[in-house]
Amino acid sequence: MLIKEKVEQAKNLLKEFDIDCWLTFARETQINGDPALAFLVEADLTWHSSFVITKTEAHAVVGEYDRLTVAELGVYNSVTGFVKGFKEPLQKLLKELNPEKIAVNYSVGSEICDGLTYGMFLTLQNVLSEIEFENRLVSAEKIVSALRERKSKTEIESMRDAIRNTEDIFDLVSKYITPGITEKEIASFMKKEVEKRKLDFAWEEKVCPAVFTGPENAGAHYAPTGRAVEKGHILNMDFGVKVNGYCSDMQRTFYILRDGEKVPPAAVQKGFNVIVEAIEKAKQGIKPGEIGESIDKIARTTITSHGYDEYPFGLGHQAGRFSHDGTALLGPAWEKYAKKPFQKLEAGMVFTIEPRLTVPDHGVVSIEEMIIITETGSEWLTNPQKNIILV
Amino acid sequence: MLIKEKVEQAKNLLKEFDIDCWLTFARETQINGDPALAFLVEADLTWHSSFVITKTEAHAVVGEYDRLTVAELGVYNSVTGFVKGFKEPLQKLLKELNPEKIAVNYSVGSEICDGLTYGMFLTLQNVLSEIEFENRLVSAEKIVSALRERKSKTEIESMRDAIRNTEDIFDLVSKYITPGITEKEIASFMKKEVEKRKLDFAWEEKVCPAVFTGPENAGAHYAPTGRAVEKGHILNMDFGVKVNGYCSDMQRTFYILRDGEKVPPAAVQKGFNVIVEAIEKAKQGIKPGEIGESIDKIARTTITSHGYDEYPFGLGHQAGRFSHDGTALLGPAWEKYAKKPFQKLEAGMVFTIEPRLTVPDHGVVSIEEMIIITETGSEWLTNPQKNIILV
């Protein structure tokens, strides 16, 4: 079971980083759910809920009505239920454990480690100050990052399953695309396939898939439009599904042959080849100990050295329970990425690689592959696109 | 359109409370989505995104790839897209507006107003300190509360639609329940009906509906079990659906007649009558200006005066985009409810009323109705249950 696996992993991470207590503190989790909760409990929680992990133990303090659901997971040494307030049982538990540092889920640089709201931080500080523990709070970024990023066997299996389904659906839609059909119709065909297979969408359904045909299309993150596929268009799609809560995230590039064409025009083929080359070179650079900024630079300079504009985002992100997951990023040293491009790559991380470039008058070439970092380098999780899909 | 309606309402609330700027600040909103965003934008956002509302204007600073989606809403006076960082455009905008106070979404007492994470608070404080605005931050609790709680016409229509569907499904399932059938089977019948109607579940699907049959059932918040309905059981259900993002939340009580019984035993009927009486009396007390603590007390003492134990939670909560929504609560003065029971009731708020009691050897009687507060009192949104449903 995932939760058992991840709670054990968390205890080991506390040993590795020598932090003696990790506290996840949340309330009404259907409204403001800390993303770390997915590894600690399987249900939404109503009242102020505390999950306390140490190097050797796990404890929970939750509303009485959530007690049984948490206790049945069988991973907590104690599950305390309260009716009127969480303060007393939490203070009692922490006093017994008496940790030097209490790591909580906040981070300036990593949204995935930043589930604690400011109001809950103030609440916690107040509760801890009554037992003179208020100076023990530290950021749990290292713990939460590693817990999310170092994927377990179960997690990888779910992701492989999601990827296989995504590839199947790309295959099916490649036979459906034809001149005259709109971006919306293509998206609708794919959505029906997702529903038929009882999968979840990897991100907001409105833009999953995102479909872009031809020059001057709307650009990334924009919902499919009524724009029709035309001969001579490059068409690209961004699409992913979720299996057991784990995501795929892939892009594929298509070209719609004009009358008399057997192969794409040289400019289109050149753009495609440059993207494939950029992905391949970036992948070769990936191994534990490297940083994402260097990997991004490999792909970025491959593209600019062929005379194209650089892509206006990072080369690749991690994937997991969210399509954008994890802290370390294959990205440039831009303000909005903070320290993410400088975090060391580790075995077990799953990354996308997704450079793009524009071929004037035809459209956008964009491929997104997924890889997993191994002890010595990386392995493809996707079957990488090596040929432009011809329609 | 909802967003147009709510952004206008927000400007008016800023006038009413004399606050000159409300800032919602979020990133990767599929991971940590501020619940206030639903009133400001229709899509998930990737990078640090700022929505700045004043008494007369609305502005947004978002990642370049989200710019078009936000601009097309047609409610923002300016939408600035950035590629490398949000800091400069946000600082520029705030310096131009030069507000005395900047209200941001944090709250100790109200989770629905507490969407700003601690990491994002620190980020914002840092960005503001560079322009010497760091002492202008205040809590937006009043604004966010009122915006969520004072329902617009569109919002009420969606909720009425959700309630009508919930009542229909309760009717259908009442003909399906029979001795021998399990809680799980009942839940599965209702879930199919939700899917057939293409509705969403009002809360976590695992416990929507929650179904409890007989004495010693698992208690609230617990998933349906393999426990079978038996003659002599009281059965209760907690169920709601979502229409256009707005929730219903209702409970109904059933009794399974024993051989030879035409009516429930006196103890069951008495328990049921007390719950109906408690709801009716509480509803009569509800009007603008009252506080939830007094309303809870009316129902609580009705129940204890008949010799039953008091229910171990608040009498009722608001509903809206979440089944538990809003700040003001019909609840007792318990630590976990903080100041919520003492906030004044206002016209336009939608509340549940949901007392419960146990009838020994039979089960739990629990009814949950929904009302909307009017200028002079309240109106039923549900068709209130006045008779125990006999199976």
Side-chain angles (χ1 to χ4, degrees), chain B residues 231-280:
Chain B
K231 293 174 185 177
H233 276 187
I234 298 173
L235 183 152
N236 71 79
M237 285 193 231
D238 193 350
F239 178 51
V241 299
K242 226 183 247 189
V243 171
N244 304 327
Y246 284 81
C247 294
S248 60
D249 183 0
M250 297 177 62
Q251 294 177 54
R252 288 294 176 257
T253 292
F254 304 72
Y255 176 74
I256 291 79
L257 291 168
R258 285 181 291 210
D259 296 337
E261 277 180 348
K262 293 257 163 63
V263 294
V268 173
Q269 189 62 51
K270 183 189 162 198
F272 183 84
N273 293 348
V274 169
I275 289 295
V276 171
E277 180 191 338
I279 291 174
E280 186 58 48

Side-chain angles (χ1 to χ4, degrees), chain A residues 72 83 108 114 117 222 336, chain B residues 27 72 83 114 117 222 336:
Chain A
E72 281 183 349
V83 171
V108 166
D114 192 31
T117 61
Y222 197 80
K336 70 179 173 193
Chain B
R27 63 179 161 179
E72 281 181 350
V83 171
D114 193 31
T117 62
Y222 197 79
K336 71 179 173 194

Side-chain angles (χ1 to χ4, degrees), chain A residues 137-367:
Chain A
L137 290 179
V138 297
S139 164
E141 182 178 323
K142 270 206 295 199
I143 301 162
V144 178
S145 277
L147 189 63
R148 295 197 79 90
E149 295 184 330
R150 300 186 198 167
K151 299 289 191 294
S152 70
K153 208 179 143 216
T154 316
E155 291 177 298
I156 295 295
E157 272 168 23
S158 297
M159 295 187 79
R160 283 189 192 275
D161 196 348
I163 289 167
R164 199 167 53 243
N165 274 285
T166 309
E167 291 178 333
D168 284 356
I169 295 173
F170 272 130
D171 276 353
L172 288 172
V173 76
S174 71
K175 287 154 202 154
Y176 171 79
I177 298 170
T178 185
I181 217 161
T182 65
E183 291 175 357
K184 272 189 187 162
E185 287 168 328
I186 293 170
S188 158
F189 175 93
M190 294 167 80
K191 279 182 207 299
K192 273 183 201 142
E193 200 57 40
V194 173
E195 280 157 23
K196 207 194 291 176
R197 292 164 183 244
K198 293 187 187 294
L199 303 168
D200 295 314
F201 291 91
W203 57 87
E204 199 187 0
E205 199 182 322
K206 201 194 286 183
V207 284
C208 184
V211 183
F212 305 102
T213 194
E216 272 94 57
N217 64 56
H221 293 208
Y222 197 80
T225 69
R227 192 179 164 88
V229 172
E230 288 174 33
K231 293 174 185 177
H233 275 186
I234 298 171
L235 181 152
N236 71 78
M237 284 192 234
D238 194 350
F239 177 52
V241 300
K242 225 182 249 190
V243 171
N244 305 326
Y246 284 80
C247 295
S248 60
D249 183 1
M250 298 177 62
Q251 294 177 52
R252 287 294 176 258
T253 292
F254 303 73
Y255 175 73
I256 292 81
L257 292 168
R258 284 181 292 209
D259 296 337
E261 277 181 349
K262 294 255 164 62
V263 293
V268 173
Q269 189 62 52
K270 182 189 162 197
F272 183 84
N273 292 348
V274 169
I275 289 296
V276 171
E277 181 191 338
I279 292 174
E280 186 57 49
K281 284 189 171 159
K283 180 177 179 295
Q284 282 166 16
I286 292 173
K287 60 170 188 266
E290 286 292 333
I291 59 167
E293 200 250 351
S294 325
I295 309 301
D296 176 85
K297 199 172 276 167
I298 297 172
R300 198 172 291 276
T301 55
T302 302
I303 284 168
T304 53
S305 72
H306 285 285
Y308 297 97
D309 286 346
E310 56 184 305
Y311 41 89
F313 45 72
L315 175 67
H317 52 80
Q318 292 182 75
R321 297 190 69 85
F322 298 99
S323 53
H324 292 189
D325 208 310
T327 301
L329 181 85
L330 311 181
W334 292 348
E335 174 202 325
K336 70 179 173 193
Y337 294 135
K339 293 177 186 161
K340 290 177 185 176
F342 303 100
Q343 193 179 311
K344 289 233 162 44
L345 303 183
E346 292 180 1
M349 290 178 169
V350 172
F351 274 100
T352 67
I353 309 181
E354 48 174 315
R356 73 169 52 202
L357 60 78
T358 298
V359 181
D361 305 327
H362 290 283
V364 171
V365 176
S366 190
I367 300 177

Side-chain angles (χ1 to χ4, degrees), chain B residues 69-347:
Chain B
T69 303
V70 177
E72 281 181 350
L73 293 168
V75 302
Y76 291 96
N77 301 75
S78 78
V79 182
T80 308
F82 64 84
V83 171
K84 298 200 175 177
F86 71 96
K87 203 173 78 172
E88 247 178 87
L90 180 60
Q91 287 174 335
K92 183 165 172 286
L93 174 65
L94 290 176
K95 276 198 283 192
E96 278 165 19
L97 296 172
N98 195 24
E100 259 180 61
K101 294 283 167 209
I102 302 170
V104 293
N105 303 344
Y106 73 88
S107 164
V108 166
S110 172
E111 61 283 338
I112 210 80
C113 307
D114 193 31
L116 183 67
T117 62
Y118 184 45
M120 288 293 271
F121 176 82
L122 294 174
T123 301
L124 194 59
Q125 228 181 12
N126 185 45
V127 166
L128 295 185
S129 75
E130 290 183 16
I131 54 170
E132 291 173 8
F133 274 22
E134 73 274 23
N135 295 323
R136 303 190 185 191
L137 289 179
V138 297
S139 163
E141 181 179 322
K142 269 205 297 198
I143 301 163
V144 178
S145 277
L147 189 64
R148 294 197 80 90
E149 295 184 330
R150 299 185 199 169
K151 299 289 193 293
S152 69
K153 211 179 139 215
T154 316
E155 292 178 297
I156 294 296
E157 272 168 23
S158 297
M159 296 186 79
R160 282 190 193 274
D161 195 349
I163 289 167
R164 199 168 51 244
N165 273 285
T166 310
E167 292 178 334
D168 284 356
I169 296 172
F170 273 130
D171 275 355
L172 288 171
V173 77
S174 70
K175 287 153 203 154
Y176 171 78
I177 298 169
T178 186
I181 216 162
T182 66
E183 292 175 355
K184 272 190 187 162
E185 287 168 327
I186 293 170
S188 157
F189 176 93
M190 294 166 80
K191 279 183 208 296
K192 274 185 199 140
E193 200 57 40
V194 173
E195 280 157 23
K196 208 194 291 176
R197 293 165 184 241
K198 293 188 187 298
L199 303 168
D200 295 313
F201 291 91
W203 57 87
E204 200 187 0
E205 199 181 322
K206 202 193 286 183
V207 284
C208 183
V211 183
F212 306 102
T213 195
E216 272 94 58
N217 63 57
H221 293 209
Y222 197 79
T225 70
R227 192 177 164 85
V229 172
E230 289 174 32
K231 293 174 185 177
H233 276 187
I234 298 173
L235 183 152
N236 71 79
M237 285 193 231
D238 193 350
F239 178 51
V241 299
K242 226 183 247 189
V243 171
N244 304 327
Y246 284 81
C247 294
S248 60
D249 183 0
M250 297 177 62
Q251 294 177 54
R252 288 294 176 257
T253 292
F254 304 72
Y255 176 74
I256 291 79
L257 291 168
R258 285 181 291 210
D259 296 337
E261 277 180 348
K262 293 257 163 63
V263 294
V268 173
Q269 189 62 51
K270 183 189 162 198
F272 183 84
N273 293 348
V274 169
I275 289 295
V276 171
E277 180 191 338
I279 291 174
E280 186 58 48
K281 284 189 171 159
K283 180 177 178 295
Q284 281 166 17
I286 293 173
K287 60 171 188 265
E290 287 291 332
I291 58 168
E293 200 251 350
S294 325
I295 309 302
D296 176 84
K297 199 172 277 166
I298 296 172
R300 197 170 292 276
T301 54
T302 302
I303 284 167
T304 52
S305 72
H306 286 283
Y308 297 98
D309 286 345
E310 54 183 307
Y311 41 89
F313 45 72
L315 175 67
H317 53 80
Q318 292 182 73
R321 297 192 69 87
F322 298 98
S323 52
H324 292 189
D325 208 311
T327 302
L329 181 85
L330 311 181
W334 292 347
E335 175 202 325
K336 71 179 173 194
Y337 294 135
K339 293 177 186 161
K340 290 178 184 175
F342 302 100
Q343 192 179 309
K344 289 231 163 42
L345 304 183
E346 293 180 2

